Amino acid sequence: AWGAKFLRRARRLRRGGMAAAAMGARIAACGRRAAAAATGPRSVRRAGPRVGTRRCAAAAEASEGGEEYDYDVFTIGAGSGGVRASRMAAAAGARVAVCEMPYDTKASDTTGGVGGTCVIRGCVPKKLFHYGAQFHEAFADAPHFGWKGDGMQPPTDWATLLANKNTEIRRLNGIYSRLLGNAGVKELEGHAKITGPNSVSIGGRTLTAANILVATGSKASVPPGIEGTDLPGVINSDQALVLSERPKKVIIYGSGFIAVEFAGIFHGFGAETHLCYRAPLPLRNFDDDCRAFLAEQYEAKGVHMHPGEVPQKVEQLPGGGLRLVTDKGSHEGDVVMFATGRVPNTQGIGLEEAGVELGRKGEIKVDEFNRTRVPSIWAIGDCIGKVMLTPVALMEGMRMAETAFGPGPAKPGYELIPAAVFSDPELGTVGWTEAEAIEKAGEPLHIYLSKFKPLKYTMVEGAQTKTLMKMIVGAESDKVYGVHMVGADAPEIMQGIGVALKAGAKKSHFDSTIGIHPTAAEELVTFRTITRTVEPASKL
């Protein structure tokens, strides 16, 4: 691209002694040409990666001072969002460095690891545990399909599970590092602190960059003011993934997807599991039919559900173990896990000193392009506190690279984000909940709802496992506003449904699609009977 060629020529000229003022004027002209190309007619816009106006502007500013920045982008944090943004920026011709703290399976103020929370202590190891927790049902169901053997006993070789999990996430950690290296990104290890709009410090060494990208993620939080949360055996989600022994009895406080997922995991591994939460139902912000159905399924499987309870304190029992005291009673177990959300990991990296605005929970305030009020500092991922999902951080990283380095300004989009809860049974969702559709659709809604026993369990005597599928459709427009499922492979199914809704699918498109038989997913293309019709909020 002409911009990249010009910058290479500019550096050669500088080395030959061209005056800084002349250099600045030439790069300013580069900026004007890039702006004209970005805003001009499509017929004259250039295809492929190119250097955006912001890089030209940053280079011009550096030239006037007689020096150049060390990097075009310096990324703090090598999680999913930071890695994606860094790779995309490098592919567009930018000089990029990313800094991450040393690898450890547990995060702290001094440890982290390339790959971030999702790869090392979040999505990936949690899903591996989720897989492992499901074997008990497979073993129990096997005799009904002609297999013999006793698989009802909880696993005793917990150490093998931990070792294999750690081997896998270490492998992924290495892959992420190689992805950065293959893209030409400089990887640094240490604690980075912003020391100015265009500078960071790592171990006493100062580096400069035209743009600084903050992608430091989030960390597990425990509600303040609860006595005893510092006792041995009181854990968060990070620590739950590195327990040296399988607990026999677990008390979990929380109602979000992390709490619900770990309740399924521990129950699946044979622990007596108690899930306590403040609300009447778990999984606030999910569809109410799904919330109620999943709570029923957990009860049927043997998870002890304790709605409407507020924690007061944690006590150490004389004979060992812990007691969680709530406003309704108490629950005793080997461990007490608080899964009460995550907070942005933004402390101690110099943000406020550099002029970056933080919100009430420590989230970084950004504009529609993920830029802070300091123009050279950007932020993406969990640390901005918008949608704390790995794929969202990936999308934000790509939009940042496109905005800063071409092809042009690109706003992150937060509509129709598919989501999953790796509970047991799993939950998958995309689009509006029924409550959201009532408020936003502006038309009556047809609700299609089905609950059924999957084929797999029709041969299992006494099995209570069921599946729920729900579709929310505009009665006048035929538009599908939301699809929700609780059942086996719900996340896998919902990924495809997300594409359909993104393309503007109507109920008639589903009706005209041939089903795959026999599957649970075919229910989505055979909905014919309306369960109920609800009026929009404007008529209620």
Side-chain angles (χ1 to χ4, degrees):
W2 61 264
K5 290 180 179 177
F6 181 80
L7 285 176
R8 287 195 295 269
R9 183 185 176 201
R11 295 189 185 108
R12 288 196 300 268
L13 290 170
R14 178 181 297 142
R15 286 193 294 268
M18 174 176 272
M23 185 67 174
R26 294 292 295 277
I27 298 180
C30 165
R32 290 192 294 273
R33 290 176 64 190
T39 58
R42 292 185 62 86
S43 60
V44 299
R45 292 184 67 182
R46 296 176 183 268
R50 58 183 173 274
V51 179
T53 57
R54 287 181 177 82
R55 180 171 176 183
C56 291
E61 181 183 344
S63 296
E64 291 169 2
E67 63 180 4
E68 188 176 314
Y69 294 122
D70 297 316
Y71 299 100
D72 296 308
V73 181
F74 189 97
T75 302
I76 303 175
S80 299
V83 169
R84 177 62 62 87
S86 298
R87 290 175 59 207
M88 294 303 101
R95 297 162 302 157
V96 185
V98 60
C99 181
E100 178 57 71
M101 291 188 290
Y103 171 89
D104 200 326
T105 53
K106 291 187 291 184
S108 70
D109 291 339
T110 57
T111 58
V114 175
T117 296
C118 179
V119 168
I120 298 171
R121 63 194 70 86
C123 316
V124 173
K126 177 188 66 183
K127 186 71 178 288
L128 295 174
F129 273 51
H130 171 71
Y131 283 142
Q134 294 177 322
F135 280 107
H136 81 293
E137 285 193 353
F139 291 141
D141 297 343
H144 297 277
F145 293 88
W147 291 79
K148 303 299 180 183
D150 181 11
M152 296 294 289
Q153 297 301 315
T156 56
D157 194 5
W158 187 259
T160 294
L161 172 69
L162 287 183
N164 290 341
K165 181 266 295 184
N166 289 339
T167 297
E168 174 59 13
I169 63 175
R170 191 59 162 164
R171 182 185 73 87
L172 293 173
N173 167 253
I175 288 175
Y176 269 66
S177 288
R178 288 193 293 276
L179 286 172
L180 289 169
N182 292 340
V185 177
K186 176 71 173 178
E187 183 182 335
L188 304 171
E189 188 173 89
H191 183 276
K193 184 173 183 178
I194 298 172
T195 55
N198 299 100
S199 61
V200 293
S201 174
I202 307 174
R205 177 189 177 194
T206 297
L207 297 170
T208 60
N211 298 276
I212 296 172
L213 174 62
V214 182
T216 49
S218 62
K219 57 186 177 183
S221 66
V222 176
I226 299 177
E227 181 184 342
T229 56
D230 57 344
L231 289 171
V234 178
I235 63 174
N236 59 29
S237 58
D238 283 8
Q239 296 154 340
L241 293 166
V242 293
L243 287 172
S244 59
E245 296 180 354
R246 179 183 63 84
K248 295 180 174 61
K249 188 173 181 180
V250 180
I251 314 299
I252 302 174
Y253 188 82
S255 65
F257 69 91
I258 294 176
V260 171
E261 288 174 339
F262 273 99
I265 287 169
F266 283 121
H267 172 72
F269 278 116
E272 179 183 327
T273 305
H274 295 254
L275 182 59
C276 309
Y277 45 95
R278 185 188 304 260
L281 291 170
L283 296 175
R284 182 172 60 91
N285 296 330
F286 286 82
D287 188 86
D288 286 343
D289 283 322
C290 294
R291 299 172 68 197
F293 183 80
L294 188 59
E296 292 169 4
Q297 288 289 289
Y298 264 37
E299 286 274 15
K301 286 176 176 289
V303 177
H304 302 271
M305 308 291 278
H306 304 283
E309 298 199 16
V310 180
Q312 306 291 319
K313 60 181 177 179
V314 181
E315 298 175 334
Q316 185 79 56
L317 297 175
L322 297 165
R323 178 190 293 123
L324 174 66
V325 179
T326 75
D327 60 342
K328 299 287 181 65
S330 62
H331 312 282
E332 297 180 0
D334 301 323
V335 298
V336 173
M337 175 179 173
F338 281 91
T340 48
R342 301 180 66 85
V343 296
N345 189 25
T346 55
Q347 301 303 310
I349 58 173
L351 287 168
E352 290 181 291
E353 295 86 343
V356 174
E357 181 183 4
L358 302 182
R360 181 175 59 87
K361 296 182 179 181
E363 73 276 15
I364 300 173
K365 295 289 188 179
V366 295
D367 65 12
E368 58 188 349
F369 296 103
N370 288 99
R371 215 168 190 174
T372 72
R373 67 180 180 185
V374 181
S376 57
I377 300 178
W378 312 64
I380 60 170
D382 285 7
C383 66
I384 66 175
K386 288 186 177 180
V387 181
M388 290 187 175
L389 294 173
T390 295
V392 174
L394 295 174
M395 177 270 297
E396 290 169 342
M398 292 177 69
R399 298 296 89 81
M400 179 271 170
E402 291 167 3
T403 299
F405 303 105
K411 297 180 184 178
Y414 299 98
E415 295 297 321
L416 294 173
I417 298 173
V421 181
F422 291 101
S423 47
D424 185 17
E426 297 169 332
L427 187 157
T429 176
V430 62
W432 291 341
T433 66
E434 183 176 337
E436 289 173 327
I438 290 172
E439 289 294 325
K440 299 176 181 179
E443 63 174 315
L445 302 168
H446 290 330
I447 308 299
Y448 297 85
L449 183 66
S450 177
K451 301 177 185 179
F452 56 92
K453 179 178 286 189
L455 178 64
K456 175 183 177 180
Y457 296 101
T458 58
M459 294 175 58
V460 181
E461 183 179 351
Q464 299 185 55
T465 299
K466 293 184 177 181
T467 292
L468 174 146
M469 289 190 173
K470 180 176 181 178
M471 184 179 289
I472 302 164
V473 180
E476 299 168 356
S477 67
D478 198 41
K479 181 177 181 179
V480 179
Y481 287 111
V483 181
H484 311 275
M485 176 181 173
V486 181
D489 298 319
E492 303 286 348
I493 294 170
M494 213 51 56
Q495 182 68 82
I497 301 301
V499 177
L501 265 61
K502 199 77 172 178
K506 295 186 175 183
K507 177 66 163 59
S508 59
H509 293 122
F510 283 84
D511 293 343
S512 63
T513 300
I514 304 299
I516 300 174
H517 183 76
T519 64
E522 68 181 309
E523 190 77 11
L524 293 171
V525 298
T526 57
F527 274 134
R528 296 294 183 267
T529 303
I530 300 169
T531 304
R532 60 180 177 269
T533 300
V534 295
E535 296 294 329
S538 59
K539 294 186 179 181
L540 295 179

